[in-house]
């Protein structure tokens, strides 16, 4: 037979070509539907509760100081205050600790209405230049902060670096200063790889318009952690950036005195500045959203499970019952 | 016009065609109208497209003209020019203008091609050379809208003002698509080049220096004289000069040209016949038309020896034809290389667009307007934002309009408020470009290729008898197969095997339908001895014992009548007997070649009764009658035409008596039979005919008349005049024939069975159960048609038959109105009762159709027809090209239907798996894939869009540009294609068992506006979930844009893959691999992108993944996004289960079902 049909064009049989590969054909029966809703409910509600309680353990102090730190005389025109180099910018804030805060406590500055994700802003940087001293001329994307008036490349170039946040904080409690540890606030990957240890700032903030902090030209970029943190541009217009860490606990109802050097100009565009002291847990800072969301979804699933149970009890349908086929259904006269 | 047809009834391989929907009045009018309008002979396309690789011909002009090839009167041969008769009177009479003409000097290629304007004979089907490949291929690719869109977007992105993506990222999608297509094209072209090379280097013998010498095909030039030997292939288009046959006949096989394997006859002109090219210099001038693609038309004239001779299509042999049964033929090349008719005809099949794709395009326009809306929102908001902050922009740290680095402070990259808005718009088009799922077109092509693979490889659609696989000739209408509502089918050769078998004979009023002698097994059948060899017919026919005995006796009047009857069968035809060698040297077979299977059957029958046709030349035939060789002169022949519906042959007997034999359809034959002679015989024959046709046999009536010398001479002179007439030759010849064919004495009638193909009744029953309306068109008589209708289960006893056969417009109108009333009543009754058994069948004959279509009754016919389940029409029409889906049967000879078809298969019954199984799957898969692609792309775009609202409307994307680009290339591309090719909603078994499941496609259940909007709503919800959960979770946190971008990327990719996974019905390892593999590939890509130090997002994914918040977010997104979909799906599944759902459940739980409710479900045993 085989030999006789040598010229046969009959397609050779394979399970693949006949579309008969072994297959798993799941059908969600009522049992599976109810079980999956119950599982999700049973999983989500505990997760939500855990997340909520975790968020609850976080202690957070937020202090908005941009308005209060402008002397009353300048309140109508805060810009002239912030732009005048001769006026002393120091401003003292006292922060009340609501609950005991266990070290490490993170010190953040929070900017609001600051579009670090603006297209003009995020593009204005040179990642090559940050890494490699040879690439200091790679300033193509950095305009308008690419080169000095005499056409020397600015290192680090670009708007992001130029606008480096330059408010400073000094904390003290009961007259004793609290040391803010500013080491290790940036990602290790950034200090090790992304920012060169042999790249030094050059001609930075030398132009006609000062955007923010200046950098010590003797310190390599890989150690300029404030810059590194700043250059991880925030995803959203309201964001926090790590300023430093405190390694001591703060007791409840304690008052922390914060000496703020209010240098950074957010008055021009209505940005807000806040000082934040916060502890963290495994879900990060204080945020009830996920906990609530999980509990809601879990609850909803339990509710759906009940609904489906009722549906299957009161309107049962036998699976695969041919009388439900459209041509078997009796026309309703 | 099927003129010159030797027999009534269609005998060609016939098309089945089908249309998805005729329900809407406009479309129905079109397809209906055009189908039926084809009944008018003048409404035929006259150019054909044909080639060996990619043919499409209008089968109907083929049908009309093909007859010209084969059945040209033997007598005409020696007369030459008449060959073009009947095909195109007006054309052959038209003078060829000098500008339109090509002058070919016979045997003088140099003079012929003085100005080097004629192509040489080398062919190049390859499109590209090494040098031209890149520019030409790119040019061709950019002809497609999809690629243009990619290109425009990529170009826009290159403008510095609009540079949203980097160079590399913006070009990648276009480049990858171009590369894939270019590789595919290059491979195809390489194969074409290879076959060209082989073709060009073949050899032929060409007359050079008065001697025939071998020459490569590519060097042959127009004007050269070429000699072809038997079984050689024509290197170019050749006008015959002389052949080995003294009358100038050459037989050719056109299988390479149109796939027909039977022999066609061609003639050399009388004037050129005596020339021997080597000896006397042939010189002449052929004035022929410019090269054209019409392979059935040719007109030219030849000046030779000062005489002007006209040439027609029967004098030219086209490139690719094979010379058969003729020792040699000599001709002059008139068209060579790419100018040959076969090459010119080599254009692709006309493209059809599937119904699903048409609907899809409507939704794509909708998506385009969504895109415009999104872009407008973004640009308007950007405008407002800029206006509100216009005083702050100069030194705003994140805008910095002014550039202070120069002496003069200037605006930096700021082009004014209006321009900024405009640029925002263009940039948002670039960012949101995949909203229009251009890649969908490419995915669809791939999916169709995959589906075609499965259709071709399906061993249940392989025809073992003809050794043919299923053929997919059109690649863009696979999914239409799942939405068919009407099938228009020819009967002969489509429902039937087209293997005619002689069954009964009625001779002089005696019915011979008795016991049959079996020849199987025994060494039997009629055979003759020729020079020590045994010659026997190739096909054995069962014979009637009594008739066989009677035919062998030789004395009484009865045997005389039988003698005349069989002589008529053996002589009155255009069959060419060919002697074939067998493995046994003492035995030879006679193969009767001819175009009409009916004629073949009759000649084989005559041979079985001892009247064996053994030789036919243009002037005589030799018939072996009961072992005695007799030679008859063929004095003339009037071929079949559709007006007379009969043919006749004038035979000169050895004793120089002359008789005319006529064979034709009973309706026309009884008009010309002299009833005064033997009224009883006529009446008896009529009764027999009726009984034959009521059991579905094809009948023919044979008559004869002796001609006196004066009668013959009178006929001869008028025939001479008619066949040389310059104007209206066909009409004149018909008149001559009509004058001759009268007062015949009735010899008898034959009944031929054309057996139904295997499985046809079951197939038709399945198709009807699938509520596909079946129209069958046949050339048979009404009784035969109805009888076949019953035996093929087209008609059932439960059906109400409406029969329309009228001879006037008025009566047609009346019966049509009556029929409408009846059908309306019946349908109302059907609705009221729950019984669907009483459906309506309409049977309408050709005459009535002509009346109806000529008048304003068309609308009514349409209304009636759309109410009927079954419509039988008494005519055959070309349908394939007009149909939405053309299906050709490739089983036996006559492949022209295949050439024109979109799909071709070996047996009618394969239509059931084709439509019910593959069609259903294809439709289901394609419908889902389109919706899924819309969803997938829109989801991504919307996530991007939400983010833009939080960036000051500046089109920043948190998702890296590489991820944006790779999203539709790597992250999500493969699963949708794999599922589109492999997923099966139901098993073959269920689909075949319940043909009603096919209704899902007819009702457009897989793709419709409601589903589109539901999918879009789902998409909206999912995009909100995917975007806003991370947004709120990371609100006022230290999250950087790269990290949150990675989260969004992963969330969206996981989501679309899980969405797909939820809809997959059949999980094979391939589905698993593609879906989970895509997710893994995405993770790898994201990791790789984040491991590049010079990208801003360096290491973001690692930092992100080390926090618990990320995982919680991801899980929350995936679950929350899927809940509404899951709930609605489960709810619908339970409360409003569709048929497919029920059948799926039944498939899985059938064991339980069968045990509980035995008898309710009838599951056929598995096919394998």
């Amino acid at each position: 037979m085989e030999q006789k049909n040598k010229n046969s064009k009959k397609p050779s049989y394979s399970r693949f070509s006949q579309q008969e590969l072994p297959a798993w054909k799941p059908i969600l029966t009522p049992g599976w539907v109810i079980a999956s809703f119950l599982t999700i409910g049973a999983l989500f509600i505990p997760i939500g509760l855990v997340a909520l309680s975790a968020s609850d353990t976080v202690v957070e102090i937020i202090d908005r100081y941009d308005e209060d730190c402008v002397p009353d005389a300048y309140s109508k025109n805060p810009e002239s205050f912030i732009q005048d180099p001769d006026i002393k910018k120091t401003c003292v804030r006292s922060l009340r600790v609501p609950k005991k805060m266990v070290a490490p406590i993170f010190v953040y500055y929070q900017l609001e209405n600051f579009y670090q994700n603006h297209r003009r802003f995020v593009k204005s940087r040179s990642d090559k230049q940050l890494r490699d001293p040879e690439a200091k001329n790679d300033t193509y994307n950095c305009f308008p902060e690419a080169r000095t008036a005499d056409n020397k490349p600015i290192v680090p170039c670009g708007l992001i670096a130029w606008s480096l946040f330059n408010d400073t904080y000094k904390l003290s409690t009961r007259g004793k200063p609290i040391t803010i540890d500013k080491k290790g606030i940036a990602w290790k990957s950034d200090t090790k790889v992304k920012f060169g240890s042999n790249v030094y700032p050059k001609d930075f903030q030398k132009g006609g318009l000062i955007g923010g902090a200046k950098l010590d030209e003797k310190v390599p970029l890989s150690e300029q952690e404030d810059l590194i943190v700043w250059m991880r541009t925030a995803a959203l217009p309201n964001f926090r950036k790590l300023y430093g860490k405190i390694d001591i606990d703060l007791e409840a109802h304690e008052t922390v005195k914060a000496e703020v050097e209010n240098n950074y100009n957010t008055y021009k565009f209505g940005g807000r500045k806040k000082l934040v002291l916060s502890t963290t847990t495994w879900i990060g800072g204080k945020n009830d959203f996920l906990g609530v969301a999980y509990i809601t979804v879990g609850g909803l699933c339990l509710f759906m499970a009940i609904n489906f149970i009722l549906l299957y009890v009161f309107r049962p349908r036998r699976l695969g019952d041919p009388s439900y086929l459209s041509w078997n259904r009796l026309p309703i006269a | 016009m099927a003129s010159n047809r030797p027999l009534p009834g269609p005998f060609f391989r016939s098309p089945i065609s089908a249309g998805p929907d005729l329900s809407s009045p406009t479309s129905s009018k079109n397809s209906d109208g055009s189908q039926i309008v084809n009944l008018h002979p003048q409404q035929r396309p006259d150019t054909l497209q044909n080639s060996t690789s990619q043919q499409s011909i209008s089968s109907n002009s083929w049908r009309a003209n093909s007859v010209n090839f084969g059945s040209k009167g033997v007598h005409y041969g020696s007369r030459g020019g008449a060959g073009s008769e009947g095909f195109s009177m007006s054309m052959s009479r038209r003078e060829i203008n000098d500008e339109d003409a090509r002058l070919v000097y016979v045997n003088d290629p140099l003079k012929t091609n003085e100005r080097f304007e004629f192509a040489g004979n080398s062919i190049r089907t390859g499109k590209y050379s090494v040098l031209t490949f890149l520019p030409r291929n790119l040019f061709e690719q950019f002809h497609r809208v999809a690629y243009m869109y990619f290109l425009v977007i990529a170009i826009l992105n290159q403008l510095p003002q609009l540079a949203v993506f980097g160079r590399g990222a913006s070009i990648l999608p276009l480049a990858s698509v171009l590369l894939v297509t270019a590789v595919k094209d290059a491979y195809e072209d390489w194969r074409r080049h290879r076959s060209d090379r082989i073709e060009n280097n073949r050899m032929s013998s060409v007359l050079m220096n008065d001697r025939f010498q071998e020459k490569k095909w590519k060097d042959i030039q127009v004007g050269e004289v070429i000699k072809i030997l038997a079984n050689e292939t024509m290197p170019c288009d050749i006008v015959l000069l002389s052949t080995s046959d003294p009358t100038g006949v050459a037989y050719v096989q056109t299988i390479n040209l149109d796939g027909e394997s039977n022999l066609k006859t061609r003639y050399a002109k009388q004037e050129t016949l005596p020339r021997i090219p080597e000896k006397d210099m042939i010189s002449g001038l052929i004035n022929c038309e410019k090269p054209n693609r019409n392979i059935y038309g040719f007109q030219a004239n030849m000046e030779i020896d000062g005489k002007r001779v006209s040439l027609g299509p029967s004098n030219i042999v086209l490139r690719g034809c094979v010379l058969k049964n003729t020792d040699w033929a000599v001709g002059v090349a008139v068209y060579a290389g790419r100018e040959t008719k076969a090459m010119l005809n080599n254009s692709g099949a006309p493209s059809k667009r599937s119904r699903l794709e048409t609907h899809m395009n409507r939704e794509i326009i909708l998506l385009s307007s969504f895109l415009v809306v999104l872009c407008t929102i973004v640009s308007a908001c950007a405008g407002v934002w800029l206006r509100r902050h216009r005083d702050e922009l100069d030194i705003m740290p994140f805008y910095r309009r002014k550039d202070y680095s120069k002496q003069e402070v200037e605006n930096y990259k700021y082009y004014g408020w209006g321009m900024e808005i405009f640029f925002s718009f263009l940039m948002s088009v670039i960012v949101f470009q995949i909203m229009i799922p251009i890649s969908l077109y490419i995915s669809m092509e791939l999916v169709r290729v995959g589906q075609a693979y499965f259709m071709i490889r399906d061993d249940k659609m392989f025809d073992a008898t003809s050794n043919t696989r299923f053929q997919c000739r059109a690649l863009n209408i696979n999914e239409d197969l799942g939405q068919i509502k009407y099938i228009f089918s020819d009967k002969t050769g489509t429902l039937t095997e087209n293997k005619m078998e002689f069954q009964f004979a009625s001779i002089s009023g005696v019915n011979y339908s008795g016991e049959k002698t079996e020849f199987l097994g025994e060494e039997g059948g009629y055979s003759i001895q020729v020079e020590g060899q045994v010659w026997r017919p190739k096909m054995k026919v069962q014979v009637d014992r009594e008739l066989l005995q009677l035919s062998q006796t030789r004395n009484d009047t009865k045997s005389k009548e039988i003698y005349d009857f069989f002589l008529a069968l053996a002589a009155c035809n255009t069959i060419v007997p060919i002697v074939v060698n067998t493995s046994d040297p003492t035995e030879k077979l006679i193969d009767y070649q001819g175009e009409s299977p009916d004629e073949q059957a009759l000649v084989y029958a005559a041979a079985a009764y001892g009247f064996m046709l053994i030789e036919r030349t243009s002037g005589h035939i030799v018939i072996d009658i009961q072992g005695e060789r007799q030679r008859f002169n063929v004095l003339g022949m009037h071929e079949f035409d559709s007006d007379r519906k009969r043919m006749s042959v004038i035979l000169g007997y050895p004793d120089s008596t002359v008789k005319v034999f006529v064979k034709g359809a009973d309706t026309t034959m009884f008009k010309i039979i002299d009833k005064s002679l033997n009224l009883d015989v006529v009446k008896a024959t009529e009764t027999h005919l009726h009984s034959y046709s009521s059991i579905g046999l094809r009948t023919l009536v044979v008559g004869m008349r002796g001609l006196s010398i004066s009668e013959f001479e009178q006929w001869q002179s008028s025939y001479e005049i008619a066949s040389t007439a310059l104007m209206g030759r066909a009409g004149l010849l018909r008149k001559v024939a009509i004058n001759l064919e009268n007062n015949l004495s009735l010899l008898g009638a034959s009944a031929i069975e054309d057996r139904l193909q295997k499985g046809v009744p079951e197939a038709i029953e399945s198709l009807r159960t699938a509520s596909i309306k079946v129209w069958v068109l046949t050339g048979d008589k009404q009784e035969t048609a109805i009888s076949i209708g019953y035996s093929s289960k087209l008609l059932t006893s439960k059906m109400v038959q409406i029969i329309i056969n009228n001879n006037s417009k008025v009566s047609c109108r009346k019966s049509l109105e009556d029929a409408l009333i009846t059908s309306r009543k019946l349908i109302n009754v059907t609705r009221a009762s729950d019984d669907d058994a009483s459906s309506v069948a309409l049977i309408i004959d050709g005459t009535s159709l002509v009346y109806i279509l000529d008048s304003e009754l068309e609308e009514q016919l349409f209304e009636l027809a759309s109410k009927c389940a079954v419509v039988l029409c008494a005519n055959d029409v070309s349908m394939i090209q007009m149909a939405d889906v053309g299906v050709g049967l490739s089983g036996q000879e006559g492949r022209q239907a295949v050439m024109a078809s979109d799909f071709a298969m070996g047996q009618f019954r394969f239509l059931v798996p084709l439509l019910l199984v593959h069609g259903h799957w294809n439709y289901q898969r394609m419908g889902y894939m389109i919706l899924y692609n819309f969803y997938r792309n829109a989801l991504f775009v919307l996530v991007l869009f939400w983010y833009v609202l939080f960036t000051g409307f500046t089109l920043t994307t948190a998702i890296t540009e590489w991820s944006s680009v790779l999203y539709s290339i790597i992250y999500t591309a493969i699963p949708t294609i794999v599922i589109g090719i492999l997923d099966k909603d139901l098993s073959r078994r269920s689909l075949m068992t319940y043909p009603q499941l096919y209704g899902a496609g007819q009702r457009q259940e897989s793709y419709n506006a409601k589903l589109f909007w539901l999918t879009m709503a789902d998409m909206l919800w999912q995009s909100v979930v995917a975007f806003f959960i991370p947004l709120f979770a990371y609100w006022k946190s230290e999250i950087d844009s790269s990290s949150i971008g990675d989260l969004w990327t992963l969330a969206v990719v996981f989501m679309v893959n899980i969405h797909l996974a939820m809809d997959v019905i059949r999980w094979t390892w391939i589905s698993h691999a593609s879906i989970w593999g895509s997710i893994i590939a995405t993770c790898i890509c994201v990791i790789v992108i984040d491991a590049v130090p010079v990208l801003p997002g360096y290491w973001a994914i690692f930092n992100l993944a080390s926090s618990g918040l990320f995982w919680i977010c991801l899980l929350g997104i995936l679950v929350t996004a899927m809940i509404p979909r899951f709930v609605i799906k489960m709810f619908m599944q339970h409360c409003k289960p569709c048929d497919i759902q029920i059948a799926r459940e039944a498939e899985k739980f059938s064991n339980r079902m069968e045990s509980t409710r035995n008898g309710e479900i009838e599951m056929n045993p598995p096919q394998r």
Side-chain angles (χ1 to χ4, degrees), chain A residues 235-270:
Chain A
L236 298 165
N238 301 338
F239 60 91
R240 278 174 193 180
K241 293 229 169 262
L242 193 55
Y243 182 82
K245 282 181 275 184
I246 302 171
D247 284 326
I248 56 162
D249 296 352
L250 295 177
E251 297 304 322
H253 313 302
E254 203 174 341
T255 307
V256 177
K257 200 176 88 177
E259 211 174 285
V260 178
E261 190 90 27
N262 182 18
N263 297 321
Y264 201 67
N265 184 0
T266 54
Y267 304 100
K268 179 74 189 168
F269 52 90

Side-chain angles (χ1 to χ4, degrees), chain B residues 617-630:
Chain B
T617 68
S618 43
H620 70 271
I621 51 175
V622 177
I623 302 179
D624 183 292
I625 300 172
Q626 310 295 1
E628 188 184 323
R629 276 192 169 213
Q630 296 210 22

Side-chain angles (χ1 to χ4, degrees), chain B residues 1136-1156:
Chain B
K1136 286 185 175 175
C1138 58
D1139 294 341
I1140 292 171
Q1141 172 66 24
I1142 300 282
R1144 267 177 67 198
E1145 292 168 1
E1147 241 171 54
K1148 186 153 180 170
F1149 307 112
S1150 60
N1151 293 335
R1152 200 203 295 171
M1153 302 293 312
E1154 268 161 44
S1155 57
T1156 51

